Amino acid sequence: MNVKFLDLKAQYAKIKNEVDVAVTSVISSQRFILGEECEAFEQEFSNMVGVKQCLGCANGTEALHLALLACGIGKGDEVITVPNTYIATALAITYTGADIRFVDIDLRTYNIDVDETEGAVTSKTKAIIVVNLFGQPANLTDLSEISSKHGIFLIEDNAQ
């Protein structure tokens, strides 16, 4: 039996004309980054989620790196995250010069363990990067309480 999990051809067929026009426009302009289409996306997305600004990034590594820089994280700081994620999460932390503090996962959800996270916070901890895996969000309520209690940033990595 062949069960289609994801049919990208069918999705593309529904929006083919719109996609083709947009792609052709970008190729013709040669503005692959920072072009009008990118600006339009950033504006539409920021309106949709109700924020003042939005920044499109080339990839998830860049997005996480910029988020950490925006939080002022650098050499001598620690960032808590999990080891069961794509290397981009760890790379973004090391790009800032900060140290990675890995914590274990909750074996029921495979997401960051809240108790382990609480116990890993030190005076050097400046942020927690939560990686939501397998379509299951981490326990953001408790993690938000931990970040508020300790005055540290909470960054969500939703790439997976």
Side-chain angles (χ1 to χ4, degrees):
M1 175 190 303
N2 183 11
V3 177
K4 287 191 175 185
F5 178 69
L6 180 63
D7 187 353
L8 294 178
K9 283 185 178 181
Q11 289 180 351
Y12 172 63
K14 291 179 182 177
I15 57 173
K16 182 182 184 326
N17 292 337
E18 183 181 352
V19 169
D20 290 352
V21 167
V23 170
T24 301
S25 174
V26 170
I27 292 171
S28 295
S29 73
Q30 297 290 291
R31 300 278 316 266
F32 301 109
I33 58 172
L34 304 176
E36 291 177 21
E37 287 81 3
C38 185
E39 289 176 22
F41 167 78
E42 292 168 344
Q43 187 60 53
E44 288 179 35
F45 192 81
S46 64
N47 291 340
M48 182 181 79
V49 297
V51 297
K52 291 181 182 178
Q53 296 178 335
C54 169
L55 179 66
C57 296
N59 54 57
T61 310
E62 181 181 47
L64 289 170
H65 183 210
L66 289 174
L68 290 166
L69 290 177
C71 294
I73 293 169
K75 190 171 179 68
D77 296 333
E78 288 180 351
V79 178
I80 296 172
T81 194
V82 291
N84 67 325
T85 181
Y86 185 64
I87 193 168
T89 311
L91 286 176
I93 297 167
T94 60
Y95 290 163
T96 67
D99 295 320
I100 303 167
R101 183 96 190 238
F102 286 122
V103 297
D104 211 347
I105 58 167
D106 179 323
L107 292 177
R108 291 171 292 120
T109 65
Y110 299 105
N111 286 315
I112 194 167
D113 185 289
V114 172
D115 294 331
E116 292 274 337
T117 302
E118 176 78 45
V121 175
T122 71
S123 61
K124 293 182 177 183
T125 306
K126 300 295 184 238
I128 302 165
I129 297 181
V130 178
V131 181
N132 296 309
L133 289 173
F134 313 119
Q136 299 183 90
N139 183 341
L140 294 174
T141 302
D142 289 350
L143 291 165
S144 182
E145 287 178 18
I146 292 169
S147 69
S148 294
K149 174 182 171 183
H150 295 283
I152 59 180
F153 294 97
L154 181 62
I155 299 168
E156 275 188 87
D157 179 350
N158 289 307
Q160 297 195 36

